[in-house]
Amino acid sequence: MVIVAFAALAGVAGCGGDDGATTDATDASTGPAAGSTVGPAGRVAESVVTEPLASDTAAPTTGTDAVASDVPADVPGRDGGEEEDTGATDVTPVGEGDGTLPLDRCERHVLDDARPQRAIFITTGDLDEDGDADVVTGPFWYENPGTDDGTWSRRELGSPLYNQAVVHDFDGDGHLDVLGTEGVGSTANADFALAHGDGSGGFEVVAPVASARGDFLQGVCVADFDPAGPLQVALSWHQRGQGVQLLTVPSDPSTDPWAWEQIAADSQDEALSCGDIDGDGDVDLLQGTRWLRNDGSEWSPQIVSDVDGAPDRNRLADIDGDGRLDALVGFEAISVEGTLAWYQQPESLDAVWQEHVIADDVVGPMSVSAGDVDGDGDPDVVVGEHNLARPDDARLLLYENVDGSGSTWQVHTIYQGDEHHDGAELADIDADGDLDVVSIGWGHGRVVLYENLAR
């Protein structure tokens, strides 16, 4: 095992600054509001609100933090109640809801300033079971030292697992494992390797455990899609025409074959999010502006919105607090301004999902997460800019859900100077009860932690 140690480089400039205005998320179905402008693809840009930030009136709710766990997450139903544990790992977490936390305190730590190869995803999990979250990206995991002045160590997962995709306990032994492909960076490779974790940070890699069809992954989601069946992994690829695919995890994932199937011919070729969208007790899949309804024996394509533009990152979250999962989408826009919007799930799924534009001036909103950053019980939104042309101008932004309804957002700049791609993941890295951000980019080799110092 190769171990490289890093003393995290720290900086506080720009962290958490209030950008001075709140914005109203625009209802695109009602036409331009007074004082607003028309944004890309004919969307209505948000209007600026000059009155002071609204006070917190949201009723506290209790949820889980964003750290990956070997215990599957509960999937909320459409009525807001808890459904049977389905094993989905993608539903947006909600914080403790114990009051509003300050949003102007953070510290940037560079965990690795020269990662040897490009990574597609970044995630977290307590791989060595020492009580804090480690960081996993590409072929490496970064051991959390557990102290502010400690040294993060870069460790190899093991050849030929070169691109981690998801962290989960695949073999049911109580320890987190890592599933990924054998492709280096964005090299085309659809063969999967599984790193079995031993709970102390050691891994045994078995490869290939499965083969799919595609070039490099853009979306992955683990769940018990059949509540009475085995664990499965949904896949979406960068290469067009591959559809949405499903791997079935066998009883012994090291020796038994993993079944592969295509569950939908049409794919939006980007992120996948798991959740019980229709509230029927099983896990569905969000693709962006489309979703796949899990009908048990088959998957039925459904429409979220027919807006123009190519959806890139997406999340499921109850943005407005009505007990139904909404769709949060960042649209593809490389080095140019693009749209960040959420789509309100209607009471009847036969109706149109109403689009609310949070912002249309984010340069490449292609790293998107949602979670309760300020601790008031509703999900906020974090977005990283994919600005390859001007990486020094690239921002990591926090949109604060002011009143818990998703109608008014306060924008904060967490940091400027790091380009982001498929990053900006929320997790409580230091186990202090607030959500931090970890991120990567496409045009640089840094692995960065933005520590939330609210607690």
Side-chain angles (χ1 to χ4, degrees):
M1 175 185 293
V2 177
I3 302 174
V4 181
F6 297 90
L9 307 177
V12 295
C15 280
D18 181 341
D19 288 2
T22 56
T23 63
D24 281 344
T26 304
D27 175 358
S29 66
T30 60
S36 64
T37 58
V38 177
R43 288 190 176 86
V44 181
E46 74 282 358
S47 56
V48 176
V49 180
T50 57
E51 62 264 24
L53 185 66
S55 61
D56 172 33
T57 58
T61 60
T62 301
T64 60
D65 61 32
V67 179
S69 171
D70 56 334
V71 179
D74 288 336
V75 180
R78 284 169 51 84
D79 61 357
E82 292 187 357
E83 300 289 346
E84 181 181 355
D85 186 353
T86 60
T89 59
D90 250 17
V91 174
T92 298
V94 177
E96 295 299 323
D98 58 353
T100 301
L101 299 175
L103 295 174
D104 59 352
R105 306 172 189 173
C106 81
E107 189 167 4
R108 174 180 177 266
H109 306 272
V110 179
L111 307 187
D112 190 344
D113 61 357
R115 190 183 65 252
Q117 65 191 54
R118 179 174 288 157
I120 306 299
F121 301 112
I122 184 168
T123 191
T124 62
D126 188 4
L127 301 184
D128 52 6
E129 298 178 11
D130 61 354
D132 51 39
D134 308 299
V135 176
V136 193
T137 186
F140 306 114
W141 72 281
Y142 295 81
E143 183 180 0
N144 189 337
T147 60
D148 292 339
D149 57 354
T151 298
W152 287 75
S153 298
R154 184 180 73 202
R155 301 173 182 267
E156 292 183 353
L157 292 165
S159 175
L161 200 165
Y162 299 126
N163 243 326
Q164 78 84 22
V166 65
V167 174
H168 194 87
D169 180 14
F170 285 95
D171 54 10
D173 65 354
H175 307 308
L176 289 178
D177 311 307
V178 181
L179 181 69
T181 65
E182 298 182 23
V184 176
S186 55
T187 302
N189 192 304
D191 292 331
F192 284 83
L194 180 64
H196 289 278
D198 63 8
S200 62
F203 291 93
E204 179 183 355
V205 178
V206 178
V209 293
S211 295
R213 297 178 187 172
D215 52 356
F216 62 90
L217 282 170
Q218 285 292 279
V220 61
C221 182
V222 180
D224 293 319
F225 293 104
D226 178 355
L231 191 69
Q232 294 178 303
V233 185
L235 308 172
S236 175
W237 300 88
H238 170 265
Q239 185 180 36
R240 295 187 182 279
Q242 302 304 312
V244 180
Q245 304 169 14
L246 202 63
L247 294 174
T248 298
V249 182
S251 299
D252 187 339
S254 294
T255 61
D256 296 341
W258 294 45
W260 173 93
E261 61 182 309
Q262 185 185 82
I263 60 173
D266 294 328
S267 172
Q268 295 193 295
D269 306 312
E270 291 293 348
L272 295 173
S273 296
C274 290
D276 186 5
I277 296 173
D278 55 3
D280 64 352
D282 55 31
V283 180
D284 309 298
L285 284 169
L286 177 68
Q287 301 184 70
T289 54
R290 299 288 187 271
W291 65 284
L292 291 173
R293 189 180 67 209
N294 184 351
D295 291 330
S297 60
E298 60 183 9
W299 295 80
S300 301
Q302 307 293 322
I303 296 175
V304 172
S305 175
D306 281 326
V307 298
D308 294 333
D312 193 276
R313 299 298 93 186
N314 67 70
R315 299 284 179 168
L316 284 167
D318 184 4
I319 298 292
D320 55 0
D322 65 355
R324 295 186 292 270
L325 291 176
D326 307 302
L328 173 67
V329 181
F331 285 78
E332 184 174 297
I334 302 172
S335 301
V336 295
E337 291 182 345
T339 298
L340 175 69
W342 71 279
Y343 297 85
Q344 184 177 12
Q345 185 180 153
E347 291 186 11
S348 170
L349 286 171
D350 295 330
V352 174
W353 294 53
Q354 184 176 333
E355 182 188 60
H356 303 268
V357 176
I358 299 173
D360 65 355
D361 60 351
V362 181
V363 178
M366 297 162 64
S367 296
V368 176
S369 292
D372 188 7
V373 179
D374 59 1
D376 65 353
D378 56 48
D380 309 297
V381 174
V382 173
V383 57
E385 292 189 312
H386 184 43
N387 192 345
L388 288 172
R390 298 173 301 280
D392 289 344
D393 294 337
R395 300 168 298 170
L396 180 65
L397 301 170
L398 167 66
Y399 286 88
E400 177 189 355
N401 188 351
V402 173
D403 60 1
S405 71
S407 59
T408 305
W409 300 85
Q410 174 78 46
V411 60
H412 306 261
T413 298
I414 297 175
Y415 188 80
Q416 179 173 323
D418 294 320
E419 173 262 326
H420 304 266
H421 184 269
D422 294 0
E425 292 288 327
L426 284 165
D428 185 2
I429 295 293
D430 50 3
D432 63 351
D434 57 34
L435 293 176
D436 313 295
V437 183
V438 292
S439 197
I440 53 174
W442 191 260
H444 62 81
R446 294 186 296 278
V447 179
V448 187
L449 162 66
Y450 307 87
E451 181 186 1
N452 186 348
L453 301 178
R455 286 178 169 157

